[in-house]
Amino acid sequence: MTASLIDGKAAAERLRADVANDVANWKAETGRVPGLAVVLIGNDPASEIYVGSKARQTVAVGMRSFEHRLPAETSQAELLALISQLNADDAVDGILVQMPLPPQLDANLVIEHIDPRKDVDGFHPANAGRLASGLPGLVPCTPLGCMLLLQSVRADLAGLHAVVLGRSNIVGKPIAQLLLKADCTVTIAHSRSRDLPALCREADILVAAVGRPGMVRGDWIKPGALVVDVGINRLPPDAAGKSRLVGDVAFDEGRNVAGAITPVPGGVGPMTIACLLRNTLQAARMRSGA
Ligand code: NDP
């Protein structure tokens, strides 16, 4: 059996086109344009690439992008003051503070300072609580992207057993909540779980969000399962000096067993920014009551 590939790049392109269309309609109705503020502290090269890409894609779907670049030595008080200013700015519908932060800054305090109605990352405890309570709110982008990919393969996930590997606040836990909301039976596994291969073999849906290259082997996968690989791991350069990205699933093995599988790169990754744009439009609509 060879799994069908879940093409995240194409799905993200479609999602961005839908968002662009909705932004144009919303602008025609309200005269407003959604705005996304991205705050980058320091000059981590990977973060600079993400922030640049977020800004470009924001403008490409017709929204306003506000970039705030602060020096690496920015104090907690200075960052919180900027967030307060963005919270109060009516042109800003979404606020994203790029992680990781320099060591003197407390990520939890920073997240809690963002107005939950503008928390387009969906990391604020108010939004995490709303998700866990089944209330509408802003949902973290990568988990949302995973769900959209799964539902592109199978619209109704009710009754399926989903195993989520990883329990972080930004990926594992929110994915588990979304799967539960979609009426799956959900198991969350982590570094202290026993017999991961046997747990995973039970899964109709297997989501790997661990950060360990190729950890999920082919014989961990139930034949025909839907496999979503969230992991992004950069391997050290090979003999030719080339480094490459791989997921948490041993892809060549997994694709021989799974029913459908997301590749890395080109699976979950591209959906993340597209979902950020979707969240920004949703935040703008929620704030305007539309
Ligand atoms: P974290 O490091 O925050 O969490 C990793 C989770 O995996 C933890 O819950 C940890 O368990 C668990 N884990 C670690 N080792 C093992 C193991 N040997 N067996 C079982 N469970 C294990 O990572 P994130 O959730 O932030 O990210 C996970 C992966 O997803 C990373 O590769 C990251 O790069 C990628 N990612 C991709 C995104 C995208 O856009 N596609 C966005 C965000 C992340 P415990 O809690 O017990 O420590």
Side-chain angles (χ1 to χ4, degrees):
M1 174 179 214
T2 304
S4 57
L5 284 192
I6 306 175
D7 185 346
K9 215 168 151 221
E13 226 165 82
R14 285 194 299 273
L15 182 54
R16 284 197 303 271
D18 287 349
V19 172
N21 194 38
D22 290 350
V23 166
N25 289 338
W26 195 71
K27 186 177 171 190
E29 279 164 33
T30 64
R32 283 207 56 216
V33 176
L36 172 64
V38 177
V39 181
L40 174 63
I41 304 108
N43 34 27
D44 174 63
S47 295
E48 296 221 2
I49 292 172
Y50 287 138
V51 165
S53 171
K54 281 168 187 171
R56 268 194 309 281
Q57 295 191 33
T58 302
V59 172
V61 295
M63 302 199 290
R64 291 180 74 189
S65 165
F66 307 97
E67 263 184 74
H68 295 267
R69 290 173 182 256
L70 305 181
E73 59 279 7
T74 299
S75 71
Q76 185 83 28
E78 286 166 328
L79 178 56
L80 295 189
L82 172 60
I83 295 173
S84 296
Q85 185 193 317
L86 298 173
N87 282 342
D89 185 343
D90 207 38
V92 172
D93 296 286
I95 303 170
L96 180 149
V97 179
Q98 184 66 45
M99 304 288 168
L101 297 175
Q104 76 277 15
L105 301 173
D106 179 334
N108 287 330
L109 274 184
V110 169
I111 290 167
E112 284 184 45
H113 203 70
I114 296 172
D115 180 343
R117 297 174 310 157
K118 297 189 177 188
D119 166 41
V120 281
D121 255 341
F123 295 162
H124 192 289
N127 281 317
R130 294 184 75 82
L131 178 60
S133 305
L135 297 170
L138 291 162
V139 171
C141 304
T142 300
L144 184 58
C146 292
M147 289 306 290
L148 295 175
L149 290 180
L150 277 170
Q151 284 160 339
S152 73
V153 180
R154 186 162 165 164
D156 183 9
L157 305 176
L160 298 182
H161 183 193
V163 174
V164 180
L165 290 177
R167 57 172 164 178
S168 72
N169 286 342
I170 63 166
V171 192
K173 281 184 202 151
I175 289 181
Q177 293 292 354
L178 290 170
L179 289 161
L180 193 58
K181 196 168 163 204
D183 295 323
C184 294
T185 303
V186 182
T187 302
I188 306 175
H190 45 80
S191 67
R192 307 296 298 273
S193 298
R194 290 190 193 144
D195 201 353
L196 284 178
L199 270 180
C200 293
R201 273 193 292 272
E202 298 278 309
D204 304 306
I205 296 172
L206 181 59
V207 180
V210 166
R212 297 193 180 265
M215 187 181 90
V216 176
R217 307 301 304 261
D219 62 1
W220 295 28
I221 298 171
K222 179 175 174 176
L226 307 182
V227 177
V228 175
D229 191 351
V230 185
I232 299 181
N233 309 291
R234 184 165 289 284
L235 294 183
D238 60 17
K242 286 210 158 183
S243 76
R244 62 188 184 101
L245 291 182
V246 297
D248 290 342
V249 178
F251 181 76
D252 290 337
E253 296 177 13
R255 73 175 309 182
N256 288 327
V257 189
I261 186 168
T262 60
V264 177
V268 174
M271 288 298 279
T272 299
I273 298 182
C275 288
L276 172 69
L277 304 176
R278 183 181 135 139
N279 276 358
T280 303
L281 175 61
Q282 187 193 333
R285 280 180 167 148
M286 287 189 320
R287 283 201 319 122
S288 73

